[in-house]
Amino acid sequence: MYNSFPKISLQRFGKINPQSIEDYSANGGFVGLKKALSLSPESIIDSIEKSGLKGRGGAGFPVGLKQKYTSGSSAENNIRFVVCNADEGEPGTFKDRMIMETDPFLLIEGMIISAYTIQATKGFVYIRGEYYASIENIKNAIKICYEKGFLGQNICGSGYSFELDIALGAGSYLCGEELTLLESLEGKRGYPRIKPPFPAEKGLWGLPTLVNNVETFSHIPFIVEKGHEEYSKIGTEGSKGTKLFCVSGNVTNTGVYELPMGITLKELIFDIAGGMKEGFEFKGALLGGAAGTFIDSSFLDVPLAYETLKEKGATLGSGAVIIIDDKTNLKEMMISILSFFKHESCGKCVPCRIGTTLLYERIKKPQLNENDFLWMQTQASYMVKNSLCPLGQSPDLPIKTVVKFFKNDL
Amino acid sequence: MSKIIEIQIDSKVVKAAEGSNLLQVARDNGFDIPGLCYHKKLTPTGACRLCVVKIDNTPGLIMSCTVPVKEGMKITAFDEELEQNRRHTLSYLLAEHNEEFDDSYEDEIRPLIKRYNLEKPENRPLKPIWQGIPRVVDNTSPVLTYDSSKCIRCFRCIKACDEIQGKGVLSFADRGISKYIVAGFGEWFNSECDGCGECIQLCPTGAIVEKPFRESLKISEIDSKVITTCPYCGVGCQTEIFVKNDTIVRVDGVDDVSPNDGRLCVKGRFGYQYANSKKRLTHPMIKRNGVFEKVSWDEALDFVSSKFSEIKQKYGSKSLAGYSSAKCSNEENYIFQKFIRIAFGNNNVDYCTRLCHASTVTAMLKSFGDGAGSNSIEDFETTDCLLVTGNNIIDTHPITATYVKRGKAAGQKIIVIDPKWTPLVKYADVWLQPKLATDVALLNGLINIIIENGWIDKNFIENRVEGGMQAFESLKELASKYTPEKTEEITGVSKEKLYEAAKIYATAKTAMIATGMGMSQQTVGTNNVFSLINMCLITGQIGKELCGLNPPRGQNNVQGATDVGASPVNYPGYIPVTNEDNRKKVAEIWKVPFESLDPKPGLTTIEIMNAAYDGEIKAMYIMGENPVVTDPDRHHTVEAIKKLDFLVVQDIFETETTEFADVILPAASLYEKDGTVVNSDRRVLRLRKAISAPGEARQDWQICVDIAERMGFKIGSYNSPEDIFAELAKAAPIFGGITFARIEKHGIQWPCYDENHPGTSTLFLEKFNTESGKAKIFPVDYKEQSETPNTNYPLVMNSGRLLYQYHSATMSRKSKVLNAYANEAYIIINPEDAVKLGLKDGDKVKVTSPRGSLETTAKVSDEVLKGETFMPWHFNEAPVNALTRNEIDPMSKIGPFKYSVVRVERV
Amino acid sequence: MQKELNKEQIISILQKYSPTKDNILKCLHELQDAHPQNYISKVILEETAKHFKLTKGQIFGIVSYYSMFSLKPRGRYLVRLCKSPVCNMLGAKSVTEYFDSKFNLKPGETTTDGMFTLELAECLGRCGKGPSMMINREVVTELDSKKIDEIINTKK
């Protein structure tokens, strides 16, 4: 059944040697790029805009629009950058790694096309430091692309030139936030920048920069090759295309699944992932990772799409689907989540630095009562309103939803 | 200028410059929005989250410190939700904050606690958690203590160090709740921190606190705060002196005032201890049978005046001379030169300028008609290109250097020319490292490249240079000999680097030069500066804004002393003594017969010493100078002084020179007097009395007036320095429009001819100050030194200064803090030479020149070229001037402190 | 066995990177990996600061911010145990306890023979097959005591 769904990011999954550009080319690779280089940058941006593709990193911002802004920003000496956010660190998320490990050329192709649309001269793939296999794969793919004329001067004889390099993270979840990622890429401590300006206006080294997630870039060749009409046939009204879902927990076949937006949780878990492991009973899920939302079984039939989840107060986030079962210790899970935020807070702004500590201290309290729940929700709401970057806003959703659905387990 | 727009804050219409900071605009208009991480001198941080506001049509709460204002913005600064929110944020901060308070600093968080009614623990929504956070205390710095439990992680210290001072020494370490401030790898003392204390001044909560007087100081019990000019270098920083029990207990920089806008260096902030030193001179003393005895002022003044009169009568007026002082005020120097010209009846008055920028001034006077720096200190930040030659600007003029570093951060090009590495090299685009004393060749080489590549400014040469292209041709012909190859051969600087430097300087839109002692203190000092001027003129990098030539001055009033006439050739305001009309005019103001004024130029510093050596000068009156240490060839200086019949030294401490005096007169220090000084950018700045002079020490000008009177000369009756300044302003047209009232807050840069004149920030915009109004080119050839290394003396010694000590160290070495950073002499030797001599770092060595020898410690470093060495000259136990020679630059009479042949041996 | 990465070795690694700031983290990774004790030594800090024209405080600030860098010497093998909410749910705690009981190794500690250092890591991105860990660059998933014994034995 799974194979009957259209594939974009994982179209070559397991079918090619990820180190081989020949394999990649023989399986439809670089068709999009070659086509793109014959088109005007504006027309490609237009097509991406029409495709309805939204950022797959979690925030879901329209990709074409971002590209348009970046391309339209005034840049000193016309220098613009493309940066791939491959700092996958959201707990429960491992989809970008899957792309980089199985089809690295796809990411590079997506980046080159995107770079071309904004006429960027240089790009970086910022990969989290622990993803050794991904790092090696991307390094190797970049090297081969230079050798074969897909990177460097005069790409494929088009006259367009683009340099690509990798950059490494070193253990900071916050660096997955785009502005913090740029700080880190500039060799600094990972502090979020004041927004605005957004990267489209002032990004890397203060110049216009297009930042997208790995999965997002992996959709670009498809859209260019097959056209936005073809792309927007996939998915729901408000959420176009496919999505990578990272299924974890006590499920029979855990892993990454590429499925059209709008599939239900029930289909994902019970039809595709083989249902619960023996001895475990489905109880709910944590969608979107540590910064995501808890849901209970009432969500089983809700289509997994931006708009449908939003309507019910939940989020898709990065695509993490952490399944909770009857034996899951939710208190432990919450301690783990809040300890994570405390550990990853950069400490720049007061609400997040101190708030994450206060919440962590409170969740550890043996017997939590209504006052505690109220208190925690108050602090989390305050943090949402006052924090500098998304990290300080992150504890809010898991706290509120866990209290809503699983209060008695705390 | 940006557009003025209107915004609304809590329904009040407010005008502001478009794009200016919303929080600042609100505060300037009386909206007291709290905020701890914001500081108007820093880029916004958005860390403390206290300055939240609401903006119409923008969702959520907005940090006002991060918002540039736009036309029509409607802001809510105060409502219940915002205030609740601020209170909550403050209670967060308090939870992680150690509130112990010792009143030795201004605490910005305490007033907020009160304002938000969070004083009582029961009013606080959160229990403290700070005890559970790892506490980091760094006590290693001589000037400050850091305590993380009092730190609110606001970034102000980091940004103060980075954005204001350009040093970037501080950072946070770790992250999240346990992050803390770090200098170096966790030890302040072993970091690059140079103790300027900018971080202390900007810390809002006492996490970084000043060490001196920490135990006893209560800010709320300070007796007075007095604003005055820093007594150290020629930048002229404005300082606020905190006084308790007539003792200086703290010094801060004064914000919003030029030239320093609140910044200070380590000397300015921590070098004040000398004023309250127990070693201060407190009573007049007369030497009897080789021993100094305390006497009354009456006795001392009678004795001094009668001895001066006696010698004058016996040997004629030419037998007397005086050294004035760059450490005294304009008023005092004015009175001193008046004293010499009237009471001694000659022009034998000079001072240490002869030892520092005499050659620069000589060349600039000849070429431009003015000897002072052409730009403002602030211009060091905004010019496109800065060429720094022979000037260790970061160590010697630290606050001017802050402008340079900020300029660099904004993209300025920096060229350094120095035979020795200086910290500025770290910021430089090109560093030319010529062999010592080859500057003329180097500059002619650069001129050659500039001409060959057509980078000259023909228009400028034709219109602003005397002789126009004809004058240029003569320079071109001379420079043609200095091909890149030839220049490389003489100087050791590669052709490529020469080309790069020439191109950057000549083709920059605007370019300024800072020239220091490395250029001036040579036997070819004047020629060095002529060469610089030539390069400046053919490229047209002068005579317009952000262009020009600047000699940063060493002493805080070295500029002023010359301006007010402490000169053997000029009356106040650069009016030559040789001109009869000038004498008549001055005589009228001074109310003396003009015939009594000597029409002949007097002797210069070194000439005075030589004349003393030759027995022609019999008596000297030295005010605030220490020639035994500062003059070249110490042995010769001591011999000369010993030969004097009578020596009066007026100073604040016993010095190496007072030892040889017949009478010592105790004077007030700069912290103890009113008056004015002139800094390096010609800014007339106020001195204000902060503390009383110790014992019976008196104001220098009063002593002069009294001696004159007892010698039978009335040199004026003044009630205050302000009276003296008023007379000075009459005598010197460049000060004509300046009054104490006008410079109450901000100084004025001369020339300022009348009360409506705003002062002059850049010289030579319209014309040069020569007779023709045009500048002059003086082509000069490279000459080899008369003294060159030989088998006996195989090395050359260069000398210079350190950040932490000051000149002969009379003041700076009284400071424990400054001594903690640097209190030992050394000689830097290139590693290759060290190997040859079998020396290693830290070895005790004997350094010998044809004049004398000294012992010091070897420091092996590639900061100097092979064959060259370097010594700081502050330390009397290793007196560099025992080695220097008294051969002088024929034009300016300056001594060659930068070039002496020596040999170095292990002791 | 070499205990230190000496100055010459450090400089030769630094020379491979142009001193633009985007190279700082990459360079620190390579230096740390090259160090026999798997950490950023003082000499590395000093030389890296020089190479990239940073102050000592700035380089210390950078290194101490990122959790993959260590300022303390570590064992030849670095065991990073995932403590994410998912691995936690799948039994990461008992794995931690196993390390303690079997090898007397607590998080943050190094075995006395200098062979192994145990650290707890945030999500390693192997949530589908938790609990998981990394031993240097090698990933081990679906951990149980048998798997742990096996992998530790091969390294000893």
Side-chain angles (χ1 to χ4, degrees):
Chain A
M1 179 186 177
Y2 171 59
N3 289 336
S4 66
F5 292 106
K7 300 283 180 286
I8 297 173
S9 303
L10 300 183
Q11 57 184 296
R12 278 171 286 268
F13 181 87
K15 293 177 190 154
I16 61 164
N17 171 1
Q19 310 267 1
S20 160
I21 197 166
E22 289 77 18
D23 266 20
Y24 181 69
S25 298
N27 286 277
F30 294 123
V31 177
L33 173 62
K34 284 173 186 157
K35 184 175 171 192
L37 292 172
S38 70
L39 300 170
S40 75
E42 296 74 26
S43 67
I44 302 170
I45 294 177
D46 186 55
S47 179
I48 292 169
E49 222 182 329
K50 286 189 178 134
S51 75
L53 171 63
K54 288 181 183 170
R56 296 294 195 252
F61 191 82
V63 175
L65 204 56
K66 207 197 261 189
Q67 237 153 323
K68 207 182 205 170
Y69 289 154
T70 318
S71 140
S73 289
S74 69
E76 204 185 320
N77 299 325
N78 248 331
I79 297 172
R80 293 184 169 77
F81 297 103
V82 170
V83 172
C84 173
N85 185 345
D87 191 45
E88 186 168 67
E90 186 66 52
T93 312
F94 43 103
K95 65 190 177 72
D96 295 338
R97 176 172 67 77
M98 214 51 95
I99 296 172
M100 292 187 284
E101 285 181 8
T102 63
D103 201 0
F105 292 101
L106 173 63
L107 169 60
I108 293 171
E109 185 182 349
M111 284 188 77
I112 302 170
I113 298 172
S114 302
Y116 173 73
T117 65
I118 63 159
Q119 293 292 297
T121 48
K122 168 116 205 195
F124 291 93
V125 189
Y126 182 102
I127 311 174
R128 72 175 288 194
E130 295 93 340
Y131 275 8
Y132 295 106
S134 298
I135 294 165
E136 289 313 313
N137 261 6
I138 298 291
K139 257 191 196 168
N140 177 65
I142 288 175
K143 188 171 151 260
I144 295 171
C145 283
Y146 269 105
E147 287 164 10
K148 302 284 181 191
F150 290 104
L151 282 172
Q153 294 296 308
N154 192 16
I155 293 170
C156 301
S158 65
Y160 174 65
S161 305
F162 176 64
E163 307 286 333
L164 186 62
D165 199 356
I166 63 155
L168 299 184
S172 166
Y173 166 69
L174 184 51
C175 290
E177 189 275 324
E178 59 179 5
L179 282 162
T180 314
L181 183 145
L182 295 177
E183 282 285 293
S184 177
L185 185 41
E186 291 178 13
K188 299 184 213 159
R189 290 168 60 83
Y191 285 130
R193 293 181 184 171
I194 293 166
K195 251 197 249 195
F198 291 89
E201 195 189 329
K202 283 197 163 82
L204 189 62
W205 317 117
L207 295 162
T209 304
L210 177 71
V211 188
N212 278 324
N213 175 262
V214 176
E215 187 184 349
T216 311
F217 279 123
S218 76
H219 284 222
I220 302 291
F222 180 97
I223 296 169
V224 174
E225 186 194 335
K226 305 260 161 73
H228 60 84
E229 297 89 350
E230 199 60 30
Y231 183 84
S232 55
K233 278 182 196 160
I234 309 165
T236 68
E237 189 54 40
S239 309
K240 296 299 182 193
T242 60
K243 177 81 195 84
L244 297 179
F245 295 97
C246 313
V247 177
S248 60
N250 288 307
V251 174
T252 309
N253 298 310
T254 55
V256 178
Y257 296 97
E258 180 169 21
L259 292 161
M261 286 279 199
I263 191 126
T264 66
L265 189 59
K266 192 194 266 169
E267 289 169 295
L268 175 62
I269 302 304
F270 296 96
D271 300 345
I272 290 165
M276 299 301 290
K277 272 188 192 160
E278 209 178 313
F280 296 95
E281 203 176 303
F282 178 87
K283 180 169 176 177
L286 175 56
L287 295 184
T293 45
F294 283 93
I295 55 170
D296 66 0
S297 51
S298 71
F299 278 72
L300 275 171
D301 293 316
V302 178
L304 297 173
Y306 298 119
E307 67 282 10
T308 44
L309 285 168
K310 198 178 169 195
E311 204 177 293
K312 300 258 303 176
T315 167
L316 189 56
S318 57
V321 179
I322 303 165
I323 300 302
I324 296 157
D325 57 70
D326 55 334
K327 301 195 172 56
T328 305
N329 182 335
L330 276 155
K331 174 133 184 173
E332 284 282 338
M333 190 174 244
M334 277 311 289
I335 291 174
S336 170
I337 287 171
L338 293 177
S339 137
F340 173 69
F341 290 134
K342 177 181 177 233
H343 184 254
E344 296 301 334
S345 168
C346 75
K348 181 172 178 179
C349 76
V350 170
C352 174
R353 177 175 78 237
I354 299 163
T356 51
T357 299
L358 293 173
L359 291 173
Y360 172 66
E361 295 299 327
R362 185 60 62 101
I363 192 78
K364 285 194 300 181
K365 196 181 139 188
Q367 297 287 319
L368 291 172
N369 59 34
E370 282 299 330
N371 282 338
D372 294 317
F373 298 142
L374 187 65
W375 185 87
M376 288 178 74
Q377 292 183 68
T378 308
Q379 305 314 319
S381 298
Y382 158 78
M383 288 164 68
V384 169
K385 280 204 290 183
N386 290 276
S387 294
L388 175 60
C389 86
L391 199 143
Q393 301 168 348
S394 295
D396 186 57
L397 285 177
I399 288 177
K400 282 182 182 156
T401 52
V402 83
V403 169
K404 184 172 173 192
F405 297 114
F406 307 113
K407 199 177 354 187
N408 297 333
D409 289 292
L410 298 173
Chain B
M1 282 294 280
S2 26
K3 201 170 109 189
I4 299 299
I5 51 140
E6 282 188 355
I7 61 169
Q8 276 185 36
I9 305 178
D10 287 349
S11 307
K12 182 182 164 187
V13 176
V14 161
K15 281 190 170 40
E18 186 171 31
S20 51
N21 187 286
L22 175 57
L23 177 57
Q24 191 61 47
V25 170
R27 285 180 176 177
D28 290 345
N29 285 282
F31 295 92
D32 188 15
I33 300 172
L36 292 168
C37 69
Y38 175 77
H39 191 284
K40 65 182 172 188
K41 291 205 275 184
L42 306 173
T43 56
T45 304
C48 81
R49 317 309 276 179
L50 283 166
C51 69
V52 283
V53 294
K54 293 176 190 166
I55 302 178
D56 273 18
N57 302 318
T58 309
L61 303 179
I62 313 289
M63 305 304 138
S64 59
C65 72
T66 68
V67 178
V69 295
K70 277 196 247 163
E71 177 71 54
M73 266 183 173
K74 286 184 185 161
I75 285 100
T76 307
F78 290 94
D79 69 13
E80 208 187 317
E81 186 193 355
L82 287 167
E83 283 292 272
Q84 268 307 320
N85 218 77
R86 289 169 187 152
R87 187 172 191 269
H88 202 73
T89 302
L90 190 60
S91 68
Y92 264 48
L93 265 177
L94 292 178
E96 88 168 338
H97 187 60
N98 168 10
E99 283 167 77
E100 286 164 20
F101 178 64
D102 65 8
D103 196 17
S104 72
Y105 55 91
E106 303 271 2
D107 192 349
E108 292 179 30
I109 207 170
R110 290 165 61 83
L112 289 180
I113 297 175
K114 207 168 170 187
R115 176 168 157 188
Y116 286 95
N117 192 25
L118 288 165
E119 284 167 302
K120 293 183 191 143
E122 62 268 29
N123 287 346
R124 297 189 180 182
L126 300 167
K127 286 194 191 75
I129 56 167
W130 67 268
Q131 296 93 334
I133 303 166
R135 183 174 183 174
V136 177
V137 177
D138 186 342
N139 215 3
T140 61
S141 161
V143 302
L144 59 84
T145 302
Y146 171 73
D147 179 349
S148 71
S149 73
K150 301 179 74 64
C151 175
I152 58 163
R153 284 90 177 159
C154 67
F155 287 77
R156 270 164 60 167
C157 56
I158 294 176
K159 290 189 171 187
C161 190
D162 189 27
E163 296 175 6
I164 297 181
Q165 289 273 345
K167 295 170 186 163
V169 174
L170 304 182
S171 170
F172 276 114
D174 289 357
R175 68 187 189 202
I177 195 82
S178 57
K179 73 175 185 172
Y180 61 97
I181 294 291
V182 73
F185 302 148
E187 281 184 338
W188 227 284
F189 190 64
N190 292 317
S191 73
E192 299 87 342
C193 171
D194 64 12
C196 75
E198 190 76 43
C199 56
I200 306 172
Q201 194 167 321
L202 263 66
C203 175
T205 59
I208 299 179
V209 197
E210 204 165 308
K211 258 187 187 168
F213 296 101
R214 175 84 195 267
E215 303 305 320
S216 56
L217 180 61
K218 301 270 173 266
I219 290 289
S220 56
E221 292 165 16
I222 286 294
D223 295 333
S224 61
K225 290 185 189 177
V226 179
I227 291 176
T228 190
T229 304
C230 173
Y232 282 95
C233 80
V235 177
C237 292
Q238 297 301 291
T239 57
E240 186 170 42
I241 313 293
F242 291 42
V243 181
K244 178 73 187 173
N245 299 333
D246 219 14
T247 300
I248 300 173
V249 291
R250 180 161 297 172
V251 175
D252 265 351
V254 181
D255 281 343
D256 303 319
V257 179
S258 286
N260 55 314
D261 190 17
R263 304 168 210 172
L264 291 179
C265 76
V266 64
K267 290 192 292 285
R269 194 181 296 276
F270 296 107
Y272 55 79
Q273 279 166 326
Y274 76 88
N276 291 105
S277 163
K278 289 201 173 61
K279 292 186 178 157
R280 283 287 298 275
L281 294 170
T282 52
H283 293 82
M285 288 188 284
I286 295 176
K287 192 190 265 170
R288 290 189 177 122
N289 304 319
V291 183
F292 283 108
E293 290 176 12
K294 280 186 190 173
V295 296
S296 71
W297 269 108
D298 256 342
E299 189 181 346
L301 293 170
D302 277 343
F303 183 60
V304 168
S305 54
S306 66
K307 284 297 281 186
F308 280 154
S309 296
E310 182 192 317
I311 288 166
K312 188 176 170 187
Q313 203 155 24
K314 196 166 164 194
Y315 300 102
S317 63
K318 293 280 175 251
S319 62
L320 299 161
Y323 275 6
S324 197
S325 175
K327 271 280 161 288
C328 287
S329 68
N330 289 328
E331 293 73 15
E332 288 163 338
N333 276 287
Y334 175 78
I335 292 297
F336 190 85
Q337 58 90 33
K338 193 175 174 186
F339 170 90
I340 298 287
R341 298 194 211 278
I342 295 174
F344 281 5
N346 62 33
N347 291 311
N348 289 341
V349 55
D350 205 0
Y351 69 109
C352 70
T353 188
R354 196 61 52 192
L355 309 173
C356 67
H357 267 308
S359 46
T360 317
V361 172
T362 302
M364 288 174 77
L365 276 171
K366 286 196 172 172
S367 289
F368 304 149
D370 248 321
S374 40
N375 304 89
S376 299
I377 285 171
E378 295 91 322
D379 296 347
F380 279 84
E381 180 170 333
T382 45
T383 186
D384 296 307
C385 166
L386 182 69
L387 186 150
V388 180
T389 172
N391 182 202
N392 178 4
I393 199 165
I394 289 183
D395 286 346
T396 59
H397 300 84
I399 299 307
T400 306
T402 62
Y403 288 95
V404 180
K405 294 170 188 171
R406 288 157 60 98
K408 178 70 199 175
Q412 180 180 84
K413 294 278 184 194
I414 296 177
I415 303 163
V416 173
I417 305 178
D418 210 304
K420 178 188 171 288
W421 181 91
T422 74
L424 188 65
V425 169
K426 285 190 279 190
Y427 300 82
D429 293 278
V430 201
W431 172 30
L432 309 183
Q433 190 182 18
K435 292 176 198 156
L436 279 166
T438 60
D439 304 272
V440 171
L442 182 90
L443 289 160
N444 280 338
L446 293 175
I447 288 169
N448 177 302
I449 292 169
I450 289 167
I451 295 172
E452 287 298 313
N453 286 282
W455 294 326
I456 61 163
D457 185 341
K458 211 171 155 208
N459 194 28
F460 183 89
I461 299 170
E462 276 169 350
N463 293 312
R464 306 280 315 259
V465 176
E466 222 171 282
M469 289 309 282
Q470 211 176 336
F472 167 76
E473 286 302 326
S474 66
L475 176 65
K476 184 177 171 182
E477 196 190 318
L478 177 129
S480 67
K481 291 185 286 183
Y482 297 89
T483 59
E485 294 72 22
K486 179 80 183 164
T487 310
E488 178 169 344
E489 187 190 315
I490 300 172
T491 64
V493 178
S494 74
K495 287 181 297 209
E496 294 72 26
K497 284 198 169 176
L498 290 168
Y499 178 87
E500 208 185 335
K503 184 175 182 183
I504 293 174
Y505 176 78
T507 62
K509 202 163 155 246
T510 59
M512 274 165 51
I513 296 173
T515 177
M517 303 294 95
M519 291 284 279
S520 65
Q521 291 177 334
Q522 296 186 26
T523 55
V524 291
T526 310
N527 282 354
N528 283 345
V529 180
F530 275 137
S531 312
L532 260 186
I533 290 172
N534 293 342
M535 184 171 79
C536 198
L537 291 174
I538 63 164
T539 52
Q541 297 289 27
I542 190 164
K544 51 183 182 181
E545 299 282 354
L546 305 178
C547 295
L549 186 67
N550 298 274
R553 311 303 308 249
Q555 300 269 10
N556 81 329
N557 200 29
V558 67
Q559 182 66 51
T562 314
D563 297 343
V564 304
S567 154
V569 293
N570 287 328
Y571 289 128
Y574 299 90
I575 294 167
V577 298
T578 47
N579 179 299
E580 193 171 308
D581 287 343
N582 293 347
R583 287 202 303 283
K584 280 183 178 158
K585 196 185 148 219
V586 167
E588 200 186 313
I589 295 167
W590 289 356
K591 300 190 179 70
V592 294
F594 101 92
E595 299 82 4
S596 72
L597 295 176
D598 188 348
K600 285 192 288 297
L603 300 177
T604 63
T605 305
I606 295 173
E607 286 172 332
I608 288 171
M609 233 15 117
N610 286 340
Y613 190 83
D614 296 338
E616 285 156 22
I617 296 285
K618 296 288 183 189
M620 273 186 80
Y621 181 11
I622 297 176
M623 173 175 82
E625 293 232 332
N626 186 9
V628 168
V629 177
T630 59
D631 284 12
D633 195 351
R634 181 174 187 145
H635 179 71
H636 179 269
T637 307
V638 169
E639 287 304 307
I641 284 180
K642 279 185 179 166
K643 285 187 182 179
L644 292 171
D645 286 0
F646 188 58
L647 172 65
V648 178
V649 180
Q650 183 170 309
D651 213 315
I652 61 171
F653 286 107
E654 284 187 26
T655 67
E656 291 75 6
T657 304
T658 56
E659 202 182 306
F660 301 100
D662 296 286
V663 180
I664 301 174
L665 302 175
S669 80
L670 283 165
Y671 292 116
E672 294 147 14
K673 55 179 68 158
D674 285 311
T676 59
V677 292
V678 185
N679 76 342
S680 291
D681 66 0
R682 298 168 280 104
R683 211 178 293 261
V684 182
L685 299 159
R686 276 298 310 273
L687 290 172
R688 292 182 186 83
K689 183 180 171 182
I691 51 171
S692 331
E696 294 176 15
R698 297 181 68 201
Q699 305 288 321
D700 291 276
W701 66 271
Q702 287 173 332
I703 304 172
C704 291
V705 169
D706 284 356
I707 296 173
E709 198 171 314
R710 283 166 206 239
M711 286 174 75
F713 298 95
K714 180 112 181 109
I715 60 169
S717 55
Y718 312 98
N719 291 317
S720 68
E722 192 169 2
D723 289 351
I724 302 171
F725 191 88
E727 182 181 310
L728 164 66
K730 263 189 247 165
I734 54 172
F735 295 122
I738 302 175
T739 60
F740 274 31
R742 280 190 76 186
I743 56 171
E744 178 59 25
K745 186 162 164 62
H746 298 279
I748 294 177
Q749 289 166 283
W750 67 253
C752 172
Y753 297 109
D754 59 62
E755 61 200 17
N756 298 316
H757 193 289
T760 310
S761 58
T762 308
L763 292 179
F764 320 129
L765 291 181
E766 305 293 322
K767 63 181 192 64
F768 290 94
N769 214 9
T770 54
E771 261 176 52
S772 63
K774 293 185 177 185
K776 292 181 204 162
I777 285 177
F778 290 92
V780 285
D781 252 319
Y782 164 70
K783 283 198 261 312
E784 271 194 41
Q785 293 288 301
S786 64
E787 175 172 293
T788 49
N790 50 55
T791 36
N792 255 337
Y793 304 102
L795 301 169
V796 185
M797 186 195 69
N798 182 4
S799 69
R801 294 195 269 145
L802 305 175
L803 170 64
Y804 301 102
Q805 294 294 347
Y806 189 71
H807 291 183
S808 68
T810 309
M811 290 156 53
S812 57
R813 249 180 147 181
K814 304 288 187 306
S815 163
K816 275 188 215 155
V817 164
L818 297 178
N819 289 344
Y821 282 102
N823 197 22
E824 274 175 27
Y826 53 82
I827 184 164
I828 302 180
I829 300 168
N830 182 279
E832 283 189 46
D833 293 323
V835 169
K836 236 185 284 171
L837 295 165
L839 292 173
K840 57 180 193 322
D841 213 59
D843 280 353
K844 292 279 167 237
V845 291
K846 184 177 175 192
V847 186
T848 311
S849 86
R851 269 74 55 188
S853 71
L854 55 81
E855 286 190 7
T856 187
T857 309
K859 192 172 151 184
V860 179
S861 160
D862 58 6
E863 285 183 17
V864 295
L865 287 169
K866 199 175 117 192
E868 298 184 358
T869 67
F870 175 91
M871 277 192 79
W873 63 272
H874 307 292
F875 305 102
N876 188 45
E877 62 274 25
V880 168
N881 283 327
L883 309 176
T884 52
R885 61 199 150 125
N886 69 347
E887 182 187 342
I888 54 178
D889 173 24
M891 276 180 279
S892 67
K893 322 290 186 196
I894 201 168
F897 299 92
K898 302 295 184 189
Y899 193 101
S900 319
V901 294
V902 293
R903 73 168 169 269
V904 179
E905 303 147 290
R906 193 205 305 266
V907 179
Chain C
M1 198 182 84
Q2 197 189 350
K3 287 284 265 184
E4 280 300 327
L5 192 65
N6 64 40
K7 199 167 152 179
E8 289 67 38
Q9 291 168 312
I10 293 167
I11 289 171
S12 76
I13 290 174
L14 285 165
Q15 292 305 328
K16 295 198 285 181
Y17 295 88
S18 75
T20 54
K21 306 270 192 275
D22 55 283
N23 279 327
I24 294 173
L25 297 188
K26 257 189 278 187
C27 201
L28 286 168
H29 271 297
E30 183 169 348
L31 288 161
Q32 174 166 281
D33 291 348
H35 197 291
Q37 296 186 82
N38 226 326
Y39 84 115
I40 305 284
S41 64
K42 204 173 150 192
V43 194
I44 294 180
L45 287 173
E46 276 164 0
E47 294 306 318
T48 310
K50 261 189 237 164
H51 186 73
F52 290 103
K53 288 198 172 186
L54 298 170
T55 62
K56 292 179 188 177
Q58 285 166 337
I59 194 73
F60 190 86
I62 293 164
V63 169
S64 65
Y65 178 88
Y66 293 98
S67 61
M68 283 181 80
F69 298 135
S70 175
L71 288 157
K72 284 188 306 193
R74 296 188 286 196
R76 179 133 53 111
Y77 294 99
L78 173 63
V79 179
R80 277 179 286 215
L81 206 58
C82 182
K83 61 158 182 166
S84 79
V86 182
C87 283
N88 210 40
M89 171 170 76
L90 299 170
K93 264 203 167 165
S94 59
V95 176
T96 317
E97 281 157 20
Y98 185 73
F99 269 96
D100 189 10
S101 61
K102 177 81 188 255
F103 305 105
N104 193 21
L105 191 54
K106 290 192 181 65
E109 289 179 353
T110 301
T111 50
T112 45
D113 59 3
M115 286 296 283
F116 299 95
T117 296
L118 182 68
E119 284 181 3
L120 295 183
E122 299 302 346
C123 181
L124 294 173
R126 314 281 158 173
C127 324
K129 295 180 161 42
S132 59
M133 70 175 201
M134 295 181 80
I135 177 157
N136 287 355
R137 291 174 170 234
E138 196 177 328
V139 181
V140 192
T141 56
E142 296 176 299
L143 288 171
D144 53 29
S145 54
K146 195 169 141 250
K147 270 201 179 173
I148 293 169
D149 288 348
E150 260 172 39
I151 185 100
I152 294 294
N153 282 331
T154 60
K155 306 293 179 198
K156 268 186 175 166

